[in-house]
């Protein structure tokens, strides 16, 4: 029992790298639409790590903030402005 308690990670954090399915779900679309968005550069290309294809959650956030919106969203406006400075 003590061993299992030591292996438990009490800190909750979002993963930085996401699989294709996770990345699509993260931005709220299916994998087919996500592939289309990567292909037309609305979403970033993945990183490769030893044969694994991984999307950077922060890059997804920046790309998502740059998507056009139907109405004003102050948070996306701020994030978009900050990502252009970087």
């Amino acid at each position: 029992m003590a061993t299992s308690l030591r292996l438990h990670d009490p800190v909750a954090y979002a993963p930085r790298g996401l699989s294709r399915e996770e990345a699509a779900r993260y931005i709220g679309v299916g994998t087919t639409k996500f592939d289309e968005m990567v292909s037309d550069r609305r979403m970033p290309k993945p990183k490769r790590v030893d044969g694994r294809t991984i999307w950077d959650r922060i890059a997804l956030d920046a790309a998502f903030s740059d998507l056009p919106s139907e109405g004003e969203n102050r948070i996306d406006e701020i994030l978009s402005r900050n990502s252009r400075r970087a």
Side-chain angles (χ1 to χ4, degrees):
M1 176 108 175
T3 303
S4 65
L5 290 176
R6 272 184 284 178
L7 296 177
H8 177 71
D9 186 354
V11 179
Y13 50 88
R16 175 74 183 261
L18 304 172
S19 70
R20 174 177 164 261
E21 293 80 13
E22 292 168 331
R25 188 171 50 248
Y26 182 71
I27 66 161
V29 299
T31 53
T32 302
K33 175 56 78 176
F34 183 73
D35 292 343
E36 178 185 313
M37 295 174 80
V38 171
S39 179
D40 67 20
R41 297 183 175 189
R42 288 181 286 170
M43 286 293 127
K45 298 268 185 209
K47 296 181 178 283
R48 301 284 289 173
V49 179
D50 297 333
R52 268 201 78 195
T53 303
I54 303 171
W55 274 264
D56 182 336
R57 179 179 47 84
I58 295 171
L60 291 170
D61 285 338
F64 191 84
S65 292
D66 284 342
L67 292 173
S69 62
E70 291 184 16
E72 293 284 328
N73 183 335
R74 185 77 177 126
I75 292 173
D76 280 344
E77 180 184 324
I78 291 167
L79 289 173
S80 178
R81 190 174 353 162
N82 287 339
S83 71
R84 288 189 199 117
R85 290 182 191 161

